[in-house]
Amino acid sequence: MSPRGVATPDVRERLFAAAERIVERDGPGALTSRSVTTEAGCAKGLLHAHFAGLDEFVAELCLDRFARTAARARAMARLAGQGTVSGNLEAVALSLFERGGPALSGLALTRPAATARVREAMRDGGPGFSAVQEAVAGYLEAERALGRLPATVDPDTVALAVVGTAHHLLMTGHPDGPDPRPAMNRLVGALVGA
C-alpha cells in the first residue's frame, strides 16, 4: 500500500484497472470505493480525493474506456491496404469486449447517475459508440477505394451493423454469459468476407 502523503503515480489508471478486475472477478455489486482502493493497493480516501464519488468514478471509467476504443478505431485508417479487411475490422470490434467490456457495461447500467453522466458526456461530443462507428466507416471507405471491398459494400451500413451488434451484445450480455466474440467474428465475415 502507498504510504499516506506520498503521491501515487498514474492514480486514475491504477484505480480504473482495479475496478475492472473487481467487476470481472466479483460482479458489479462488489464495486465500492473501498474495494477499489484495496484492490489498487492505495489509501482508502484516494478515490474520493480524485472523484466526487463512486458514480463519477464509474462514469469516468466508462468514458475513458470508450475514448481508448475510439482511438483504436481511428487508428484503423492506417491499416487500409494491410492484412485482411475482416481481420482489421474484427480487431476493433473485439476490442469493445476487452478489459471487462461486458462487465463495465453492466456496472454502468446498475448506477443510474453514472449512466446519466456518460450520456451527457456523449451528447456533448465525448467519444462513444458513434465515434467508433464513424472510424470504422472511414476505414471501410478507404478499403473500398483501394478495391479491397466490393463497390456494393456500404461502409456506413457495415459500420452500423458491427458497432450496433457489439453494443447489443455488451448491453444484453453478462460476465457469466456466452462469449460474444464468436458472434462478432461471424458477423464481420458475413458483412465483408475476406
Side-chain angles (χ1 to χ4, degrees), residues 128-148:
F129 286 103
S130 59
V132 175
Q133 183 179 330
E134 290 169 13
V136 168
Y139 163 74
L140 292 170
E141 286 172 11
E143 291 287 21
R144 189 174 64 178
L146 292 171
R148 288 174 27 110

Side-chain angles (χ1 to χ4, degrees), residues 45-70:
L46 191 62
L47 186 142
H48 292 285
H50 291 273
F51 301 94
L54 192 58
D55 285 327
E56 181 181 311
F57 172 77
V58 168
E60 290 298 318
L61 169 59
C62 290
L63 291 168
D64 179 81
R65 295 326 192 216
F66 281 146
R68 285 179 180 213
T69 302

Side-chain angles (χ1 to χ4, degrees), residues 37-144:
T37 55
T38 299
E39 180 78 18
C42 55
K44 301 295 176 222
L46 191 62
L47 186 142
H48 292 285
H50 291 273
F51 301 94
L54 192 58
D55 285 327
E56 181 181 311
F57 172 77
V58 168
E60 290 298 318
L61 169 59
C62 290
L63 291 168
D64 179 81
R65 295 326 192 216
F66 281 146
R68 285 179 180 213
T69 302
R72 187 171 180 181
R74 284 190 296 273
M76 282 183 73
R78 295 190 310 261
L79 298 176
Q82 301 175 34
T84 64
V85 175
S86 61
N88 294 337
L89 190 53
E90 284 172 9
V92 167
L94 296 180
S95 72
L96 293 166
F97 300 97
E98 291 174 359
R99 299 216 42 197
L104 289 179
S105 297
L107 173 63
L109 291 174
T110 65
R111 306 198 65 86
T115 301
R117 185 171 168 87
V118 168
R119 284 188 178 141
E120 181 181 319
M122 288 186 188
R123 189 174 48 246
D124 293 342
F129 286 103
S130 59
V132 175
Q133 183 179 330
E134 290 169 13
V136 168
Y139 163 74
L140 292 170
E141 286 172 11
E143 291 287 21
R144 189 174 64 178

